[in-house]
Amino acid sequence: AAEGRGPVPGDGAGPSAPERVLFPPTFSVSEIKNKQRRHFMFLRWKQQQRKEKLALKKKRRKEREALGDKAPPKAIPKTIENQRVYDETTVDPNDEEVAFDEATDEFAPYFNRQTVPKILITTSDRPRGRTVRFCEQLATVIPNSHVYYRRGLALKRIIPQCIARDFTDLIVINEDRKIPNGLVLSHLPDGPTAHFRMSSVRLRKEIKRKGKEPTEHVPEVILNNFTTRLGHSIGRMFAALFPHDPQFIGRQVATFHNQRDYIFFRFHRYIFKSEKKVGIQELGPRFTLKLRSLQKGTFDSKFGEYEWIHKRREMDTSRRKFHL
Amino acid sequence: SPQVVWSMLGNRQFCSYKMTTKTQNFCRNEYNLTGLCNRSSCPLANSQYATVREEKGRCYLYMKTIERAAFPRRLWERVLLSKNYEKALEEIDENLIYWPRFIRHKCKQRFTKITQYLIRIRKLTLKRQRKLVPLRRKIERRENRREEKALIAAQLDNAIEKELLERLKQDTYGDIYNFPIHAFDKALQQQEAESESESEAEREEEDDDEEEDKREFVEAEDSELSDFEDMDKLETSSEEEQEEEEEVEKEASHSRSKGKTPLKGPARRKRPYIEIEYEEETEPGTKTK
């Protein structure tokens, strides 16, 4: 056992100078029974590993410099987005079938500028202060929107009333324990209904370095990263909330950014400082959404036909698989 | 006899149906009429007893008499009460005729209570039912963690800025912003060696009033390539100078009229620069579209 330990330092407590230590090949640090000694040996081993790694890096860098132009290109680091499992429903920009589908789906009248969006925002029963304020701020962000209190009315009954009064979209913000945590977005004349889980809601006063209130101008819309078919339809739902002709004078932009199935909503005011630089200032509320289910018709939890439901057991098995 | 039973169960010995709290004793026996542990409401200590119980929405009157005390199986006699409230009360009355007042009264009270809550159940099932979905802690934590990481990976500010610049480049904003278009410049420089004639043709095209800031960068790069062309264009430059000066003024006023411009400084600085640059350089509108 003594031979196995290599050069023994004085008392084994402090780290000795990390020289090259030669161990017989069958030796492993975990075999030492004494914890203090084992810990010390492990640290020494770690230092050695680090040294070797550094030396390797240096060598590689020297080789790269030596080769100059002929050096192989730098390796791209793996990210989750790089390693994403290829989704077969990814939309190809030139896909005709998708284009045809989109020309005939429920949002076609909106995209053909036949309808102007009119939004109804409401909450679940008995909303608390935070939710109410969030609804108000959301109403300032989305032009042509109205907030109404729920007062215990059944959704199925208010939907026909909304349709009668020419509303195009219905947003219901669900609340739990005094914070908003769910969003149901329903396109009205028998359009799809999407149910989201809402998190990290920040009201205007909680955002640091924010600007003034959002004005009445129609904002632009940015939809990022909606690649699959499902993502496309959700993206169109969001786009249908805002009037089709943004007023660039207002310089406001609402962004829905999809990253790993989380949709981040931000509302900014931008200014072009030069043609290569733009400054953005965040105003308005922010929240993140995660899609839970998409239903074909309007809101109907019992008899509706679901296009997509998030099933945890089946869909959360891989960390590299995303659906939006 | 019932007195003996009560003297045992009531105070002295153990009764498994008895539940004591600080202020009261309750009886958990299912046949108990009032739910309290009393001498008069204990079904074990009274040989003549009656209760009303409901099963699946129908109410029954249960009765126990002394005659059947020896036959536990047949002890409790069950009578179905009618669905009509008043009729059921009459049925209770006629079944419990000659019974002690207390039991009769309490039976009717209990029956009333039961019908009331049955009505309530029926009403509530018609209304919307709130479905309580339990949150799973592990899953909530996992989703929050993933959301944070996704937020970091998203680099929202950069993404938004890139998108806005893209839109600026693709001219979605039209004439509001009058910035020179850098990308086209670069592409042009590459093509200049090949096709000078194209660039001449486009010189006349000047839609946007470019070059103000561009001039500064472009000069250093272009100087080698476009020296010869400059010589030729010295004459034509003067006319264009006048045109472009007007445009320059328009542009400056544009930037002022934009309303909320926290950056007035750079906008103002542009003007003097432009005029200076103009005289030196004579390569307007070489940018291809």
Side-chain angles (χ1 to χ4, degrees):
Chain A
E3 310 101 14
R5 298 223 180 95
V8 178
D11 48 351
S16 64
E19 320 102 358
R20 271 267 120 180
V21 185
L22 301 155
F23 293 112
T26 53
F27 175 76
S28 111
V29 179
S30 51
E31 277 170 19
I32 305 177
K33 298 293 184 188
N34 184 339
K35 180 165 176 172
Q36 215 179 21
R37 181 97 190 127
R38 187 171 66 231
H39 181 61
F40 169 74
M41 279 295 160
F42 177 72
L43 288 178
R44 226 175 342 134
W45 178 79
K46 263 293 196 192
Q47 282 175 354
Q48 238 181 61
Q49 296 293 99
R50 255 184 262 142
K51 266 186 78 184
E52 284 172 13
K53 192 169 168 189
L54 198 60
L56 194 63
K57 259 198 199 166
K58 279 199 178 148
K59 199 174 84 160
R60 231 189 263 148
R61 203 197 300 162
K62 277 221 181 84
E63 282 175 10
R64 173 175 229 103
E65 283 172 14
L67 285 181
D69 281 333
K70 293 176 275 172
K74 269 196 171 177
I76 312 170
K78 292 188 201 173
T79 63
I80 294 186
E81 282 78 26
N82 284 348
Q83 308 293 102
R84 176 176 172 175
V85 166
Y86 175 69
D87 198 332
E88 62 226 357
T89 60
T90 310
V91 170
D92 185 24
N94 309 326
D95 202 343
E96 290 170 354
E97 192 189 320
V98 173
F100 176 70
D101 269 339
E102 295 189 350
T104 52
D105 75 350
E106 291 104 353
F107 296 107
Y110 165 77
F111 283 104
N112 296 338
R113 307 203 185 205
Q114 286 166 9
T115 51
V116 173
K118 191 173 170 198
I119 322 281
L120 179 72
I121 302 181
T122 182
T123 63
S124 54
D125 282 337
R126 298 189 183 256
R128 310 298 290 186
R130 214 184 137 86
T131 315
V132 169
R133 269 177 276 145
F134 176 67
C135 284
E136 290 169 18
Q137 293 183 6
L138 203 59
T140 58
V141 163
I142 304 179
N144 206 4
S145 58
H146 308 263
V147 180
Y148 283 105
Y149 281 122
R150 183 70 168 278
R151 286 219 239 108
L153 304 166
L155 268 187
K156 286 207 219 153
R157 292 221 193 98
I158 65 175
I159 283 179
Q161 286 189 16
C162 287
I163 301 179
R165 291 188 203 186
D166 251 354
F167 279 96
T168 56
D169 287 274
L170 174 69
I171 297 181
V172 183
I173 295 180
N174 188 46
E175 187 200 352
D176 177 48
R177 295 229 190 116
K178 304 179 195 167
I179 48 164
N181 74 343
L183 184 94
V184 175
L185 171 58
S186 184
H187 189 72
L188 275 183
D190 69 68
T193 308
H195 176 40
F196 297 94
R197 173 193 121 105
M198 186 154 64
S199 44
S200 346
V201 174
R202 302 278 175 266
L203 301 176
R204 292 202 67 242
K205 64 178 183 183
E206 294 161 7
I207 298 178
K208 302 182 185 152
R209 291 184 297 269
K210 65 174 190 307
K212 301 205 187 125
E213 298 252 329
T215 59
E216 289 293 319
H217 294 116
V218 173
E220 292 175 55
V221 180
I222 291 183
L223 299 165
N224 267 346
N225 266 351
F226 289 94
T227 47
T228 63
R229 276 298 253 122
L230 180 66
H232 241 250
S233 32
I234 301 288
R236 300 186 84 215
M237 276 193 92
F238 286 131
L241 288 176
F242 295 90
H244 216 265
D245 305 303
Q247 295 172 316
F248 298 122
I249 322 173
R251 284 185 293 125
Q252 296 178 134
V253 57
T255 311
F256 291 91
H257 181 102
N258 170 39
Q259 187 82 14
R260 303 182 194 173
D261 277 356
Y262 288 95
I263 303 173
F264 298 101
F265 170 82
R266 299 287 185 272
F267 193 74
H268 290 278
R269 178 168 287 135
Y270 63 88
I271 172 156
F272 284 107
K273 300 181 195 169
S274 72
E275 89 286 356
K276 297 250 284 183
K277 265 194 0 164
V278 58
I280 53 176
Q281 192 185 44
E282 181 159 9
L283 21 133
R286 65 156 83 152
F287 51 89
T288 53
L289 300 171
K290 186 162 199 274
L291 182 68
R292 269 211 271 222
S293 69
L294 181 64
Q295 210 177 34
K296 232 179 167 32
T298 53
F299 182 78
D300 193 333
S301 46
K302 279 196 247 170
F303 305 112
E305 179 197 332
Y306 280 91
E307 252 185 63
W308 189 85
I309 312 182
H310 177 78
K311 295 195 185 131
R312 186 173 56 89
R313 291 272 173 88
E314 300 169 12
M315 298 180 182
D316 270 354
T317 47
S318 160
R319 289 188 204 212
R320 305 285 180 259
K321 183 166 198 308
F322 305 113
H323 311 283
L324 273 190
Chain B
S1 72
Q3 285 89 350
V4 175
V5 170
W6 178 248
S7 63
M8 288 293 122
L9 296 180
N11 298 317
R12 286 200 250 153
Q13 290 209 344
F14 176 74
C15 172
S16 69
Y17 298 108
K18 183 176 184 178
M19 294 215 335
T20 55
T21 47
K22 253 189 269 180
T23 44
Q24 234 186 9
N25 295 339
F26 293 103
C27 181
R28 263 186 20 215
N29 194 325
E30 42 187 24
Y31 289 100
N32 190 311
L33 192 53
T34 53
L36 311 170
C37 188
N38 287 330
R39 173 68 183 88
S40 44
S41 20
C42 184
L44 306 170
N46 289 316
S47 37
Q48 194 187 43
Y49 200 73
T51 337
V52 176
R53 270 169 66 189
E54 70 92 26
E55 204 169 321
K56 294 205 193 121
R58 299 306 306 275
C59 299
Y60 298 93
L61 174 66
Y62 287 80
M63 291 179 289
K64 156 178 145 168
T65 45
I66 318 173
E67 288 94 23
R68 297 197 300 271
F71 311 108
R73 252 181 97 228
R74 298 177 233 153
L75 188 56
W76 289 99
E77 179 191 344
R78 180 162 100 158
V79 171
L80 178 66
L81 298 172
S82 115
K83 272 201 184 162
N84 188 338
Y85 179 69
E86 284 92 21
K87 264 218 196 135
L89 286 181
E90 286 171 13
E91 283 176 13
I92 293 179
D93 258 335
E94 68 181 73
N95 273 312
L96 298 183
I97 198 171
Y98 306 133
W99 280 55
R101 237 180 306 146
F102 175 77
I103 294 185
R104 251 187 288 147
H105 183 70
K106 288 295 176 188
C107 274
K108 284 189 243 175
Q109 271 191 342
R110 197 179 161 94
F111 173 71
T112 312
K113 224 6 159 242
I114 288 177
T115 47
Q116 284 174 352
Y117 81 59
L118 284 177
I119 291 171
R120 193 141 185 263
I121 290 175
R122 274 181 247 133
K123 219 193 285 182
L124 284 181
T125 49
L126 289 179
K127 267 191 154 191
R128 340 174 263 138
Q129 308 267 34
R130 178 161 295 186
K131 185 173 175 194
L132 296 176
V133 173
L135 295 177
R136 292 208 174 88
R137 199 177 307 169
K138 181 176 175 190
I139 295 182
E140 290 296 306
R141 277 197 286 159
R142 196 211 292 169
E143 301 215 324
N144 288 338
R145 243 194 337 256
R146 292 211 181 147
E147 185 189 324
E148 284 166 18
K149 303 217 169 148
L151 183 64
I152 297 171
Q155 295 178 347
L156 282 171
D157 290 342
N158 290 349
I160 297 178
E161 287 174 8
K162 254 204 298 187
E163 177 69 28
L164 289 172
L165 289 172
E166 273 288 318
R167 290 190 180 181
L168 181 67
K169 264 193 223 156
Q170 277 156 19
D171 225 12
T172 42
Y173 299 130
D175 286 333
I176 312 178
Y177 303 105
N178 291 323
F179 291 125
I181 304 169
H182 199 67
F184 299 138
D185 282 5
K186 275 215 172 136
L188 195 69
Q189 283 161 31
Q190 290 166 9
Q191 290 174 8
E192 272 203 355
E194 306 164 2
S195 54
E196 292 171 341
S197 53
E198 285 179 356
S199 51
E200 285 174 14
E202 270 119 5
R203 249 168 227 156
E204 289 142 32
E205 268 189 18
E206 298 164 20
D207 298 351
D208 289 340
D209 189 9
E210 312 132 351
E211 290 101 11
E212 287 79 16
D213 299 339
K214 288 306 298 274
R215 296 267 167 82
E216 304 169 56
F217 323 149
V218 172
E219 258 194 329
E221 296 154 19
D222 277 358
S223 49
E224 323 144 24
L225 303 172
S226 50
D227 272 340
F228 299 105
E229 297 157 13
D230 287 346
M231 295 312 194
D232 297 338
K233 300 302 171 283
L234 269 172
E235 298 152 12
T236 50
S237 65
S238 53
E239 302 166 4
E240 290 157 312
E241 267 181 344
Q242 290 158 15
E243 293 172 15
E244 298 210 32
E245 271 175 346
E246 295 165 10
E247 291 186 49
V248 161
E249 289 164 22
K250 251 193 278 169
E251 193 250 352
S253 61
H254 256 284
S255 60
R256 278 200 207 118
S257 68
K258 259 185 227 161
K260 298 166 187 165
T261 41
L263 309 161
K264 285 282 188 159
R268 280 205 205 105
R269 257 194 290 124
K270 277 184 198 162
R271 259 180 115 207
Y273 271 54
I274 293 161
E275 291 167 6
I276 296 169
E277 295 304 317
Y278 235 103
E279 274 132 59
E280 292 171 3
E281 209 191 285
T282 58
E283 195 196 26
T286 51
K287 330 303 168 193
T288 28
K289 279 268 174 186

